[in-house]
Amino acid sequence: MLSKNQIKLIKSLSQKKARQQNGLFIVEGIKGISEFLKSGYKLKNLYTTELIFEAPTHLITEISETDLKKISTLKNPNTALAIFEIPDEQAAQQNGLTIVLDDVRDPGNLGTIIRLCDWYGVKNLVCSQNTVDCYNTKVVQATMGSLTRVNVQYLDLIDYLESSKTEVFGTFLTGENIYTTNLPPNGIIVLGNEANGISEAIEVHVTRKVTIPQFGEIKDTESLNVANATAILLSEFRRRTIEM
């Protein structure tokens, strides 16, 4: 049986302010929770309708499906909800490929980009301060555990890019064709806001502008979804590395 205080705390973690104040975030579902349990993240509490997880027993509370529905952020709760501690940020390494996000606001986009970084072996993801929180419940859900393997850091992007010693690529409607230009194994790839693209303040720090050409005969589509663009860019960068 969950207490009113437990329910109040869990439900409050849907808000960024509460996550920051308590240093906690929510993970839901068997796969996501299992990924975090085998990672370096520290478990605070685990509420589950089935005792199927390998975790310290004093941190596990068996609950009913009714109670799970009370605390879940999902329309169709999946077996369990866990609370983990938010770790200290780790400094991004200046080697290999780094994805930089300038004001990406959609949780689903950020979650998908984190999964793409994991798939393509990108260890560091640097976000502007106004990019959606990576511990947002929808972001965590969309990462399907990949958040445990990608270092996400929130920084002043101007300071970060000014201190960078590698090429900075930016995605624009006009620029070098991503399919024909030479791409290095190392570098920073900047992607912008869903509606407005890369801001002018960040654009001045981009050393190479690239574009994903449009092949459709009717040019009514204004732009690609930022997560889709990330997938294409990472695929091209990795393909060129293999060919080198």
Side-chain angles (χ1 to χ4, degrees), residues 140-191:
V140 174
Q141 192 70 20
T143 71
M144 296 295 289
S146 287
L147 183 57
T148 65
R149 294 179 290 275
V150 177
N151 178 34
V152 182
Q153 191 176 16
Y154 289 79
L155 299 173
D156 182 301
L157 293 191
I158 293 176
D159 289 344
Y160 174 75
L161 294 175
E162 284 181 345
S163 65
S164 172
K165 298 178 181 179
T166 60
E167 281 192 287
V168 179
F169 293 81
T171 50
F172 295 86
L173 292 177
T174 59
E176 301 175 60
N177 186 329
I178 193 67
Y179 299 122
T180 58
T181 188
N182 291 323
L183 300 174
N186 301 320
I188 292 170
I189 306 172
V190 182
L191 294 111

Side-chain angles (χ1 to χ4, degrees), residues 187-206:
I188 292 170
I189 306 172
V190 182
L191 294 111
N193 174 266
E194 290 89 345
N196 303 311
I198 295 172
S199 62
E200 292 182 3
I202 300 303
E203 181 179 353
V204 297
H205 298 283
V206 173

Side-chain angles (χ1 to χ4, degrees), residues 46-53 60-64 79-81:
L46 172 57
Y47 304 96
T48 179
T49 60
E50 299 178 26
L51 298 177
I52 56 175
F53 297 96
I60 301 176
T61 302
E62 188 172 9
I63 61 174
S64 66
T79 308
L81 179 150

